[in-house]
Amino acid sequence: MYKEGDEVQDDCGSREEWTLLFWTSLAVIVPVIITLWCSAQRSKRKTHMKDFFRKSKHGWHYTDLFNKPTYCCVCSQHILQGAFCDCCSVCADEQCLRRADRSLPCKEIMAPCSPDGAMEHRWVRGNVPLASYCAVCKQQCGTQPKLCDFRCVWCQTTVHDDCMDSLEDADQCDLGEFHSLIIPPHYLYRVNKLRRRHPDEYSKLASSCGSGWTPMLVLANTRSGNNMGEALLGEFRTLLNPVQVFDLSELSPSKALQLCTLLPPGSVRVVVCGGDGTVGWVLDAIDTMKLKGQDQFIPRVTILPLGTGNDLSNTLGWGAGYAGEIPVEQVLRNILDAEVVKMDRWKVQVASKGLYFRKPKVLSMNNYFSVGPDALMALNFHTHREKTPSFFSSRIINKAVYFLYGTKDCLVQECKDLDKRIELELDGERVALPSLEGIIVCNIGYWGGGCRLWEGMGDEPCPPTRLDDGLLEVVGVFGSFHCAQIQVKLANPVRLGQAHTVRLVLKSSKMPMQVDGEPWAQGPCTITITHKTQALMLYHSTEQTDDDDDESSASETESPTPHDSPRPPGPASACA
């Protein structure tokens, strides 16, 4: 009896163990299966949505959470997640998305105007921008918790539902505040109908767009700086014709700039949203236009700085970095007020020693060329960014990484005794070098993320710098620590001189070099820097004070002729 009881207990215990094991396994496996199934469905849904967005005429973007109270333009219900069009601002939840795509038209980039030559408003109901006011009663729109009020996608006029019947010229759209920057859809329609594509014909068509029409193109690098490019593309598409806005990750600058050849010669402005490297990319594409004989279509270039250094942007008065601190509307106003200046561009030839049958490497330079510690920091940064690009998506992180590499070089001093390994000639004359670790050849006033390198602390007289004088400024640094001292104005660089042509001969070993932030490691070679061409840039002057206004009004009659280039901003007393 005792043995039989033990066997019964053992059987009960084993059954309990197997039951516990079964339910434990089930508790682990079922959530995993559900998670995998949901992940597969989400991936399938994402692929399906992406394919739908690609075929749609709207510029749909899906979001999990709208940043303000939003209502579906189809069913009028409040929505938290769904899709919005960054061209016309139509919003829809996922269930109404296909219906919205069919029934609600987007901005037409090319369309005929009405028989009387006027352009009609294109109204979208609901979800008007915050702090927008009715064009009739001047009261705030969009304050009711429902789909209400109207906005024109071209002129950005907002009107209450009840005020729509009282709106004067309700059928005529003047394209609003930025009409001089927008390419109207009727202009492209007429260009498409032209039998003879000639600049004179474009100028005739431009008369219908009003006097002072200077259309603008936007070229954005979505991978620059703080990854703001995607959001900026949407804001520019909302304010302008979507055909004017280009994503450089999808289309090269040379192809985007071909739109300039369909616009009146000398009228186009180009906004480059990105860093100094992106600006150089666009300027190289403009040089290609010159080689094709399209000089008359060359645009004026301005910068919306999204990169890390942004020295060229700083020199031209557009700031050290854009982080959304001012609205895009104010950016467009600043561009309207900007003036045209000329900027020298330079050719950098690198002829490697011993490779006589190989063509020299030829690079274009806008900002500066350097050999030494700052080029080493750029090379280390570039190498690691290529390995893990997702890590370098913040301007603050990028500058912190630069700081770490600079601190490391202060201890290691990889570029010491540069003066023994390199020879420097300025306009054919040999320059005796002190004990340096780096040489920097500058075309612009700023270097190293906002430092006035040539002037230094301003306690020593020096010749002035200009963008258009055909001269380069050459300085030397004693190491990474010296570079840091210069940036915080605790030391001056070693001014080696100004020259029209700079020649450097690296006699031995391998040294880090960079041109406008693009670094590489270079063996023995000869570097020759000569003038290449000039680019037309837009310069933004800083805000004037009341005293400055009085002085400027007294000197209005002494303003420079159109052929004179105004001097870029800089401390006037630094080199007095």
Side-chain angles (χ1 to χ4, degrees), residues 184-228:
H186 62 77
Y187 175 85
L188 294 177
Y189 181 82
R190 291 173 178 175
V191 167
N192 194 45
K193 294 294 183 180
L194 284 177
R195 293 183 179 180
R196 187 173 72 103
R197 298 288 181 89
H198 192 272
D200 293 339
E201 299 294 330
Y202 303 148
S203 299
K204 292 178 182 177
L205 292 179
S207 60
S208 64
C209 302
S211 60
W213 184 51
T214 54
M216 187 179 76
L217 305 185
V218 179
L219 279 63
N221 186 350
T222 55
R223 291 173 290 185
S224 287
N226 287 346
N227 288 336
M228 290 186 60

Side-chain angles (χ1 to χ4, degrees), residues 492-505:
N492 279 327
V494 181
R495 298 190 186 96
L496 301 175
Q498 291 179 302
H500 298 280
T501 302
V502 177
R503 186 170 178 266
L504 299 100
V505 180

Side-chain angles (χ1 to χ4, degrees), residues 319-345:
Y322 179 77
E325 62 276 5
I326 61 174
V328 172
E329 290 85 353
Q330 185 58 46
V331 172
L332 296 180
R333 294 184 191 107
N334 292 341
I335 293 171
L336 285 170
D337 295 335
E339 51 187 322
V340 180
V341 297
K342 294 180 179 179
M343 183 187 74
D344 294 321
R345 301 194 72 220

Side-chain angles (χ1 to χ4, degrees), residues 417-438:
D417 299 327
L418 178 71
D419 55 300
K420 298 177 182 178
R421 293 185 273 177
I422 204 165
E423 295 178 359
L424 174 65
E425 292 182 6
L426 301 182
D427 288 336
E429 294 185 9
R430 179 84 174 271
V431 177
L433 297 176
S435 180
L436 299 174
E437 287 191 25

Side-chain angles (χ1 to χ4, degrees), residues 339 539-556:
E339 51 187 322
Y539 165 64
H540 173 57
S541 58
T542 54
E543 300 254 349
Q544 291 183 323
T545 61
D546 293 338
D547 295 334
D548 293 334
D549 289 337
D550 295 337
E551 293 177 5
S552 62
S553 62
S555 61
E556 280 180 353

Side-chain angles (χ1 to χ4, degrees), residues 319-516:
Y322 179 77
E325 62 276 5
I326 61 174
V328 172
E329 290 85 353
Q330 185 58 46
V331 172
L332 296 180
R333 294 184 191 107
N334 292 341
I335 293 171
L336 285 170
D337 295 335
E339 51 187 322
V340 180
V341 297
K342 294 180 179 179
M343 183 187 74
D344 294 321
R345 301 194 72 220
W346 301 83
K347 180 172 68 174
V348 181
Q349 286 186 311
V350 183
S352 298
K353 186 177 180 181
L355 302 176
Y356 302 108
F357 299 103
R358 182 180 297 178
K359 289 184 178 181
K361 181 195 296 184
V362 179
L363 303 168
S364 296
M365 185 185 88
N366 304 309
N367 301 357
Y368 38 73
F369 164 88
S370 68
V371 51
D374 67 322
L376 178 62
M377 285 186 283
L379 181 61
N380 289 331
F381 175 84
H382 181 76
T383 301
H384 285 81
R385 183 170 63 176
E386 290 295 312
K387 292 180 180 178
T388 55
S390 59
F391 179 75
F392 297 88
S393 59
S394 168
R395 190 180 291 136
I396 296 176
I397 292 177
N398 293 352
K399 290 188 176 183
V401 173
Y402 263 106
F403 173 76
L404 292 174
Y405 284 129
T407 304
K408 174 186 174 184
D409 188 59
C410 287
L411 302 174
V412 179
Q413 293 184 312
E414 294 184 29
C415 302
K416 62 181 180 179
D417 299 327
L418 178 71
D419 55 300
K420 298 177 182 178
R421 293 185 273 177
I422 204 165
E423 295 178 359
L424 174 65
E425 292 182 6
L426 301 182
D427 288 336
E429 294 185 9
R430 179 84 174 271
V431 177
L433 297 176
S435 180
L436 299 174
E437 287 191 25
I439 294 175
I440 305 167
V441 182
C442 291
N443 178 47
I444 61 176
Y446 285 91
W447 162 86
C451 172
R452 299 286 299 185
L453 183 64
W454 179 250
E455 286 86 356
M457 293 186 295
D459 56 357
E460 296 179 8
C462 62
T465 62
R466 286 182 63 95
L467 284 174
D468 60 349
D469 58 359
L471 286 173
L472 293 166
E473 286 71 44
V474 186
V475 301
V477 294
F478 295 118
S480 295
F481 187 67
H482 187 209
C483 289
Q485 288 180 310
I486 294 171
Q487 288 184 321
V488 295
K489 296 185 178 182
L490 293 178
N492 279 327
V494 181
R495 298 190 186 96
L496 301 175
Q498 291 179 302
H500 298 280
T501 302
V502 177
R503 186 170 178 266
L504 299 100
V505 180
L506 180 60
K507 297 181 288 186
S508 61
S509 71
K510 183 177 285 190
M511 292 292 292
M513 298 182 181
Q514 70 159 335
V515 172
D516 292 351

